[in-house]
PDB file of all heavy atoms in Angstrom:
ATOM      1  N   THR A  73     -53.398  10.409 -58.247  1.00  0.00           N
ATOM      2  CA  THR A  73     -54.035  10.783 -59.515  1.00  0.00           C
ATOM      3  C   THR A  73     -53.431  10.137 -60.705  1.00  0.00           C
ATOM      4  O   THR A  73     -53.820  10.428 -61.832  1.00  0.00           O
ATOM      5  CB  THR A  73     -53.901  12.303 -59.671  1.00  0.00           C
ATOM      6  OG1 THR A  73     -52.523  12.659 -59.653  1.00  0.00           O
ATOM      7  CG2 THR A  73     -54.644  13.064 -58.558  1.00  0.00           C
ATOM      8  N   ARG A  74     -52.478   9.235 -60.525  1.00  0.00           N
ATOM      9  CA  ARG A  74     -51.801   8.599 -61.629  1.00  0.00           C
ATOM     10  C   ARG A  74     -52.712   7.596 -62.406  1.00  0.00           C
ATOM     11  O   ARG A  74     -52.353   7.146 -63.495  1.00  0.00           O
ATOM     12  CB  ARG A  74     -50.582   7.852 -61.155  1.00  0.00           C
ATOM     13  CG  ARG A  74     -49.354   8.779 -60.992  1.00  0.00           C
ATOM     14  CD  ARG A  74     -48.888   9.261 -62.320  1.00  0.00           C
ATOM     15  NE  ARG A  74     -47.553   9.924 -62.225  1.00  0.00           N
ATOM     16  CZ  ARG A  74     -46.887  10.382 -63.221  1.00  0.00           C
ATOM     17  NH1 ARG A  74     -47.322  10.337 -64.421  1.00  0.00           N
ATOM     18  NH2 ARG A  74     -45.711  10.943 -63.054  1.00  0.00           N
ATOM     19  N   ALA A  75     -53.834   7.265 -61.831  1.00  0.00           N
ATOM     20  CA  ALA A  75     -54.689   6.237 -62.466  1.00  0.00           C
ATOM     21  C   ALA A  75     -55.328   6.725 -63.760  1.00  0.00           C
ATOM     22  O   ALA A  75     -55.662   5.993 -64.628  1.00  0.00           O
ATOM     23  CB  ALA A  75     -55.806   5.839 -61.536  1.00  0.00           C
ATOM     24  N   THR A  76     -55.421   8.089 -63.908  1.00  0.00           N
ATOM     25  CA  THR A  76     -56.008   8.671 -65.055  1.00  0.00           C
ATOM     26  C   THR A  76     -54.951   9.190 -66.025  1.00  0.00           C
ATOM     27  O   THR A  76     -54.059   9.926 -65.621  1.00  0.00           O
ATOM     28  CB  THR A  76     -56.965   9.855 -64.690  1.00  0.00           C
ATOM     29  OG1 THR A  76     -57.915   9.365 -63.724  1.00  0.00           O
ATOM     30  CG2 THR A  76     -57.664  10.394 -65.885  1.00  0.00           C
ATOM     31  N   ALA A  77     -55.028   8.808 -67.289  1.00  0.00           N
ATOM     32  CA  ALA A  77     -54.077   9.272 -68.291  1.00  0.00           C
ATOM     33  C   ALA A  77     -54.165  10.801 -68.327  1.00  0.00           C
ATOM     34  O   ALA A  77     -55.270  11.394 -68.333  1.00  0.00           O
ATOM     35  CB  ALA A  77     -54.355   8.662 -69.631  1.00  0.00           C
ATOM     36  N   GLY A  78     -52.987  11.440 -68.455  1.00  0.00           N
ATOM     37  CA  GLY A  78     -52.978  12.926 -68.459  1.00  0.00           C
ATOM     38  C   GLY A  78     -52.687  13.494 -69.837  1.00  0.00           C
ATOM     39  O   GLY A  78     -52.124  12.842 -70.692  1.00  0.00           O
ATOM     40  N   ALA A  79     -53.085  14.761 -69.962  1.00  0.00           N
ATOM     41  CA  ALA A  79     -52.785  15.493 -71.192  1.00  0.00           C
ATOM     42  C   ALA A  79     -51.445  16.153 -71.082  1.00  0.00           C
ATOM     43  O   ALA A  79     -51.066  16.562 -69.981  1.00  0.00           O
ATOM     44  CB  ALA A  79     -53.867  16.512 -71.465  1.00  0.00           C
ATOM     45  N   ARG A  80     -50.737  16.337 -72.134  1.00  0.00           N
ATOM     46  CA  ARG A  80     -49.417  16.990 -72.137  1.00  0.00           C
ATOM     47  C   ARG A  80     -49.614  18.493 -72.300  1.00  0.00           C
ATOM     48  O   ARG A  80     -50.308  18.905 -73.260  1.00  0.00           O
ATOM     49  CB  ARG A  80     -48.465  16.437 -73.148  1.00  0.00           C
ATOM     50  CG  ARG A  80     -47.138  17.132 -73.213  1.00  0.00           C
ATOM     51  CD  ARG A  80     -46.160  16.435 -74.143  1.00  0.00           C
ATOM     52  NE  ARG A  80     -45.761  15.118 -73.678  1.00  0.00           N
ATOM     53  CZ  ARG A  80     -44.775  14.413 -74.220  1.00  0.00           C
ATOM     54  NH1 ARG A  80     -44.031  14.947 -75.227  1.00  0.00           N
ATOM     55  NH2 ARG A  80     -44.488  13.258 -73.769  1.00  0.00           N
ATOM     56  N   VAL A  81     -49.003  19.324 -71.485  1.00  0.00           N
ATOM     57  CA  VAL A  81     -49.104  20.755 -71.584  1.00  0.00           C
ATOM     58  C   VAL A  81     -47.670  21.337 -71.493  1.00  0.00           C
ATOM     59  O   VAL A  81     -46.746  20.628 -71.115  1.00  0.00           O
ATOM     60  CB  VAL A  81     -49.967  21.396 -70.510  1.00  0.00           C
ATOM     61  CG1 VAL A  81     -51.429  20.936 -70.619  1.00  0.00           C
ATOM     62  CG2 VAL A  81     -49.440  21.062 -69.086  1.00  0.00           C
TER      63      VAL A  81
END
Side-chain angles (χ1 to χ4, degrees):
T73 57
R74 277 292 192 177
T76 305
R80 178 174 293 191
V81 296

